[in-house]
Amino acid sequence: MSKDGSGNPVLTLQSDFDRSWVSVGRALDNADIRVDDLNRSLGVYYVNIAEGAKKPDEDKPGFFIAVFGGGEKTKEEEDAKAQRYQVRLTTVSDAVQVTVDKDINTSAPADVAQNVLEKLQESMRNAVRGSGQRKPGQFGLGEQF
């Protein structure tokens, strides 16, 4: 990981855009970072890093909540807690740079960007870990037994 000219964290992937796009998408999923939307032609994943952000298919209430009510948050409450950012992939020469932005014109705070990029880097590192480099008791891609 490095920094750009403005001091913002940048993750550089030595790969083409197509492979990088897939790798970052898998890393976001493995790092439990919620992807609200994506635009491949712009190279942007729209993410929500709020604590406990649920994925869209997790919105269904459990049995007891459905029967007895309560516990449901309104869309306004969820939007108020949302921490939405853009994970942006940009082709530079023969590599792809991954950055985290608040919006198209604003970089994310350095600590937030650093945290997200470190999670992505660790997730990608774990995905490519060879069989000789697995932790004791680890099988496949991250399963612990």
Side-chain angles (χ1 to χ4, degrees), residues 19-45:
R19 289 177 193 261
S20 297
W21 179 259
V22 171
S23 295
V24 169
R26 286 183 183 155
L28 287 166
D29 188 47
N30 292 338
D32 289 328
I33 296 174
R34 176 180 165 177
V35 176
D36 287 337
D37 200 3
L38 54 90
N39 186 329
R40 191 177 185 286
S41 61
L42 293 177
V44 178
Y45 286 95

Side-chain angles (χ1 to χ4, degrees), residues 24 43 55 58 65-66 71 75 107 109 116 120 123 139 141 143:
V24 169
K55 300 197 187 233
E58 296 172 350
I65 291 175
K75 179 155 177 52
S107 296
V116 170
L120 292 179
S123 182
F139 304 96
L141 294 175
E143 295 131 16

Side-chain angles (χ1 to χ4, degrees), residues 15-137:
S15 182
D16 60 41
F17 182 85
D18 294 332
R19 289 177 193 261
S20 297
W21 179 259
V22 171
S23 295
V24 169
R26 286 183 183 155
L28 287 166
D29 188 47
N30 292 338
D32 289 328
I33 296 174
R34 176 180 165 177
V35 176
D36 287 337
D37 200 3
L38 54 90
N39 186 329
R40 191 177 185 286
S41 61
L42 293 177
V44 178
Y45 286 95
Y46 298 91
V47 300
N48 183 349
I49 63 168
E51 187 70 29
K54 292 190 283 185
K55 300 197 187 233
D57 60 344
E58 296 172 350
D59 287 337
K60 299 174 188 156
F63 173 75
F64 288 105
I65 291 175
V67 172
F68 298 110
E72 293 186 36
K73 295 180 180 161
T74 65
K75 179 155 177 52
E76 292 80 24
E77 288 174 330
E78 286 186 13
D79 285 345
K81 287 191 336 183
Q83 295 180 31
R84 292 192 173 95
Y85 294 96
Q86 299 175 6
V87 175
R88 186 175 308 278
L89 283 73
T90 308
T91 302
V92 178
S93 187
D94 60 344
V96 175
Q97 290 185 340
V98 183
T99 57
V100 181
D101 301 322
K102 184 65 179 163
D103 57 46
I104 189 78
N105 297 320
T106 311
S107 296
D111 59 330
V112 171
Q114 184 81 25
N115 184 29
V116 170
L117 294 176
E118 283 175 354
K119 285 181 180 179
L120 292 179
Q121 189 175 35
E122 183 63 27
S123 182
M124 285 188 260
R125 197 175 284 141
N126 288 339
V128 297
R129 183 174 280 150
S131 60
Q133 297 176 343
R134 289 193 179 120
K135 296 176 186 172

